[in-house]
Amino acid sequence: MKLSIYKIVLLILISITASAQTTIWKTPDYEMTSNGIKQGKFSATALSDTELQSDYVSPQNEFISSKLIFKFSINGKDNEMKPNVNHSFNLVSGVTETPLIPFGTPLKEKSTDKETAVLPDSPLKIRLDLREVLNQIKTKGFYTTFNGDKIFKQDFKKVYVAGATAPLSWDFDNLHQKPELEMKDPDGDGIYETTLVFNSKKDKKQTDTNWKLTKNITAFPQYKSAYTLSNALYNMSLEEMEKAVEPDSTFRTGKEWAGVWTVTSATASFFQWLICNRK
């Protein structure tokens, strides 16, 4: 009798294991099983409820747009122009430097220049005309930014360039961590310059190949199903939410977007409920 029970248990375990490999959804583009997804030559697998691995390569690595969006920064602040007003420059083949760009005056690419892909390891010298700013600081003792803030002579420290395409970054608070983004004026003529290399191998976006739970998420509502993939994704989302909490208990939007940002009221209410209902 005991032997028969053991056989039944063994058959159940074999059945469960087999079902894990069974396709539960398939389209011409991808195939999904209870523990993973396959799309073309790429696949992602949930090794357990707390670990994921993937060999996916972002298509962003295949095309870097020649259209560069950037702006300048005094002392690591977003203080050159109004939000969404930026310089635009088309880094086409054969171009190695920008025109001289006056601080506060948007540079626009020529309408005849078509957007292409940036060639690998393309250097670009970015040139900034800061003479008017320095003249105002010299004559009046301060420079007034677009939003009315005053930069006094004793407060003027460094000048940076920020932007959307690596090695540029919109993380104004941390521009100082990338020395190549600091613009220099070695001869003191008010013309600041820096040379950056675009589409460099070291700047290509890398997709994380492995995730493993590192945070304690037991205080949040728990989810468990027969699908290892959905279990792992749920646990990963809880950990990502936990990691997004700043020391002051506010939520950080993303790696390059520090500070408090707005979200929909429904999303905000859900997050607040989760935080307040910890065990």
Side-chain angles (χ1 to χ4, degrees):
M1 183 66 180
K2 290 183 179 180
L3 183 59
S4 298
I5 294 176
Y6 291 150
K7 286 183 178 180
I8 292 173
V9 171
L10 180 60
L11 288 173
I12 292 174
L13 291 175
I14 293 174
S15 176
I16 294 174
T17 303
S19 65
Q21 307 303 321
T22 302
T23 298
I24 59 177
W25 186 262
K26 188 173 184 179
T27 74
D29 298 316
Y30 67 91
E31 178 182 356
M32 180 185 295
T33 66
S34 64
N35 68 338
I37 296 178
K38 292 182 179 180
Q39 182 179 4
K41 61 181 180 180
F42 304 119
S43 64
T45 305
L47 302 179
S48 69
D49 290 352
T50 58
E51 186 173 5
L52 290 161
Q53 71 176 17
S54 170
D55 57 8
Y56 178 76
V57 177
S58 172
Q60 291 188 2
N61 287 351
E62 300 173 3
F63 180 85
I64 305 297
S65 172
S66 61
K67 186 177 181 180
L68 305 180
I69 304 297
F70 60 94
K71 62 172 49 175
F72 300 107
S73 163
I74 296 177
N75 297 339
K77 303 297 181 182
D78 187 0
N79 52 16
E80 183 191 10
M81 298 179 290
K82 295 179 180 179
N84 297 320
V85 178
N86 305 302
H87 302 294
S88 181
F89 183 76
N90 206 5
L91 180 54
V92 296
S93 178
V95 174
T96 58
E97 69 177 49
T98 69
L100 187 58
I101 309 170
F103 188 89
T105 302
L107 172 70
K108 302 295 183 182
E109 77 272 15
K110 297 178 182 178
S111 58
T112 55
D113 289 344
K114 294 183 178 180
E115 182 178 355
T116 61
V118 175
L119 297 175
D121 298 319
S122 295
L124 178 68
K125 179 186 290 186
I126 301 177
R127 307 181 67 230
L128 166 65
D129 185 350
L130 206 64
R131 289 175 293 188
E132 179 58 29
V133 173
L134 298 175
N135 182 59
Q136 289 190 33
I137 291 177
K138 180 179 180 180
T139 57
K140 297 192 300 183
F142 60 85
Y143 170 76
T144 304
T145 65
F146 74 90
N147 59 1
D149 290 342
K150 291 182 173 60
I151 300 175
F152 293 89
K153 181 178 181 179
Q154 62 271 23
D155 297 324
F156 182 89
K157 303 298 181 183
K158 295 183 178 182
V159 182
Y160 301 92
V161 58
T165 304
L168 294 172
S169 168
W170 285 126
D171 188 0
F172 286 89
D173 291 336
N174 292 300
L175 294 178
H176 64 279
Q177 295 186 6
K178 290 187 173 184
E180 68 271 27
L181 300 184
E182 181 183 346
M183 307 196 70
K184 301 291 184 67
D185 177 21
D187 58 8
D189 63 354
I191 307 299
Y192 285 70
E193 298 178 343
T194 188
T195 298
L196 302 177
V197 179
F198 290 90
N199 199 11
S200 171
K201 184 176 181 180
K202 69 180 182 63
D203 292 322
K204 290 186 182 296
K205 292 183 179 295
Q206 301 296 321
T207 302
D208 289 340
T209 58
N210 185 269
W211 167 79
K212 193 170 185 178
L213 183 66
T214 58
K215 292 281 187 178
N216 183 354
I217 58 173
T218 56
F220 300 109
Q222 300 298 296
Y223 169 82
K224 183 75 174 179
S225 73
Y227 303 104
T228 310
L229 180 62
S230 60
N231 298 340
L233 291 175
Y234 178 80
N235 291 331
M236 181 173 67
S237 67
L238 289 183
E239 181 177 70
E240 288 298 307
M241 181 187 66
E242 183 79 358
K243 288 181 176 180
V245 179
E246 299 277 17
D248 62 359
S249 297
T250 58
F251 283 100
R252 184 184 182 94
T253 302
K255 180 180 178 181
E256 297 187 354
W257 303 98
V260 179
W261 285 68
T262 58
V263 295
T264 64
S265 58
T267 304
S269 299
F270 174 70
F271 283 164
Q272 184 178 20
W273 179 84
L274 284 178
I275 295 297
C276 293
N277 287 277
R278 298 186 186 191
K279 294 180 182 178

